[in-house]
Amino acid sequence: MLRITRETDYGIILMSALAQADEASLSAALLARRCRLPVPMVGKTLKALAQAGLLISQRGAHGGYALARHPAEITVAEVVEALEGPIAITECSSAEPSGCVFLEHCQVNSHWNRINEIIRSTLGAISLKQMSQWPSSLRGADSPVTINPLSALLGEHSSVQPDPTRR
Amino acid sequence: MLRITRETDYGIILMSALAQADEASLSAALLARRCRLPVPMVGKTLKALAQAGLLISQRGAHGGYALARHPAEITVAEVVEALEGPIAITECSSAEPSGCVFLEHCQVNSHWNRINEIIRSTLGAISLKQMSQWPSSLRGADSPVTINPLSALLGEHSSVQPDPTRR
DNA sequence: TTAATCAGTACTAGTTTGGTGCTATATAAA
DNA sequence: TTTATATAGCACCAAACTAGTACTGATTAA
């Protein structure tokens, strides 16, 4: 648990595929084939990403989707927030009022806010360029974000590869 | 989004209440009253936490629940995992095989594993004792966990208190 | 024996997720 | 101008999950 939705998973995969594609723009159908993902969901996901301004769409023949910015300047946090809304680990971590009248004597709320901030900045410290490269090159310092808890761990953790299956 | 369930939220609040209670043991009904949470959900949540070994339950009159260990030695990660199962930000980050046959040429999977590890160790670096204290005392160094991305941010971020409502 | 209290299970309404289908609109090229 | 190719925008659906309720049984102190 504590999981991103499958659509967000798709979103990251698709954006990564665009980041490392030779072509400037790719159609939804081609992207689906290249990433081996179901076509309808790919269309839906790309639409949402375009609406959020992370992709630029071109209609009509020879149309398709292209990254709106350089992959080093798009963060994982942006993609997650485009597809799931603001990152909020609890109801009370979100920007909108949650309607809880007990906040004033809630001891754990501010701690969750801090935890939320760490998660947000962790995801904000990883660029699409990094996500689109194979693990060994993750150490490259092309992230645009300065606060970077990720860097504290990179290279110190033995990369855990738990199981040989996906989806 | 990217949210813990409300039951987990309750779980942390309840464990924190136990951590700072004068009594060694509290009944579900009393805890519910003290935390202003719905009684049935409190009972359900406490049962699950006891089953996971984080609480010790005592049946019968004058029974109730008590922390199984010292609050400084119980982490937020443990509570989350007790109520939601293993922390896995994607299907493929979990320990169980996900059945995805494309893992071998999935570029983003290993990156998610690293992100997952950061989130897990962030939650594993925060003790119940810390959660049960008011924000200013969070800086105290009583966490049993050595790898601590939290420490990189503590004291540097201005505490954001977004909205005055909860639940 | 009795009242208090946890254990276990089953159930339900509502929401979210994952996915499908259809129609409208835009565009390049024949 | 027509046609094939694409995206845009809905509306819809089944399955799963979440949050919460209800009830019965077991345990224990007084």
Side-chain angles (χ1 to χ4, degrees), chain A residues 4-158:
Chain A
I4 57 167
T5 64
R6 192 178 289 196
E7 187 179 24
T8 304
D9 195 358
Y10 289 173
I12 294 284
I13 292 171
L14 293 166
M15 298 278 286
S16 298
L18 277 166
Q20 67 173 160
D22 297 327
E23 306 90 332
S25 153
L26 292 173
S27 75
L30 181 53
L31 266 172
R33 217 174 318 126
R34 207 172 271 192
C35 297
R36 299 159 210 250
L37 297 178
V39 179
M41 279 302 288
V42 166
K44 190 181 185 177
T45 307
L46 292 172
K47 268 178 231 175
L49 290 169
Q51 215 161 22
L54 295 178
L55 293 179
I56 290 167
S57 63
Q58 177 68 37
R59 287 189 177 188
H62 298 275
Y65 293 93
L67 294 180
R69 280 175 277 147
H70 190 274
E73 275 149 23
I74 300 175
T75 69
V76 172
E78 285 181 286
V79 180
V80 172
E81 293 192 321
L83 295 172
E84 312 200 357
I87 292 168
I89 197 168
T90 63
E91 279 179 52
C92 311
S93 316
S94 61
E96 301 90 47
S98 58
C100 172
V101 290
F102 304 127
L103 222 192
E104 53 217 272
H105 30 67
C106 175
Q107 302 217 335
V108 303
N109 176 62
S110 65
H111 298 299
W112 278 125
N113 282 339
R114 282 168 186 275
I115 293 170
N116 200 58
E117 194 46 47
I118 291 169
I119 292 176
R120 225 214 59 79
S121 61
T122 298
L123 297 181
I126 302 168
S127 72
L128 215 59
K129 184 174 176 194
Q130 290 176 310
M131 286 300 270
S132 68
Q133 290 167 342
W134 289 98
S136 58
S137 51
L138 187 61
R139 292 158 215 279
D142 53 7
S143 160
V145 184
T146 48
I147 297 172
N148 190 356
L150 179 60
S151 60
L153 286 176
L154 281 177
E156 296 170 26
H157 264 258
S158 62

